Amino acid sequence: MAERRPIEFTAERRVNRAPERVFVVLGDLRRHWPLLGGVLAEAAMLDGERGERARLIVRMPPPFGRLGARRVVETQVLELRAPGLLRGRAAAGASSAEIEWRVSEQPDGRT
């Protein structure tokens, strides 16, 4: 079997909010759920506060979603350093990802 190598990618988004406010949203997994919209079938917290973990059941997009397929995803906050760093992990079956958000104020005043 071929060795699985991690894939690394970067994305950037600027918002008209203070870094502290953005950090509060990212640091609370329950506040992520509305961002998933209609694909979220069920969500439950497993642990709270630091080391927060959640289990999500996500409806798969077409063509799999037409068959009623769903996927269980467990998410976990690994590190919170206010107001600028949040690291987390998401796992679904044999697939997993580590996510890192860096929140900072830009010269134009946006975050």
Side-chain angles (χ1 to χ4, degrees), residues 3-61:
E3 179 184 339
R4 293 179 67 173
R5 294 185 191 161
I7 298 170
E8 189 172 319
F9 64 92
T10 303
E12 183 177 304
R13 174 77 189 252
R14 293 189 182 183
V15 294
N16 288 319
R17 299 286 183 265
E20 297 79 15
R21 198 161 170 204
V22 172
F23 186 80
V24 166
V25 171
L26 290 176
D28 182 350
L29 292 177
R30 287 171 290 257
R31 296 183 84 173
H32 291 214
W33 301 344
L35 302 173
L36 295 172
V39 301
L40 183 61
E42 186 179 318
M45 291 301 295
L46 301 175
D47 294 313
E49 298 302 317
R50 299 286 180 175
E52 192 167 74
R53 289 187 318 129
R55 176 174 288 131
L56 311 175
I57 298 178
V58 179
R59 291 182 195 93
M60 300 299 289

Side-chain angles (χ1 to χ4, degrees), residues 60-106:
M60 300 299 289
F64 307 107
R66 289 189 206 114
L67 303 173
R70 295 172 183 222
R71 187 145 196 196
V72 175
V73 180
E74 286 198 12
T75 60
Q76 180 178 12
V77 174
L78 299 174
E79 181 179 2
L80 281 170
R81 275 194 271 152
L85 175 71
L86 177 126
R87 286 188 337 98
R89 176 181 298 130
S95 300
S96 66
E98 288 206 9
I99 301 107
E100 180 175 293
W101 288 273
R102 293 190 175 271
V103 180
S104 62
E105 189 165 0
Q106 301 300 306

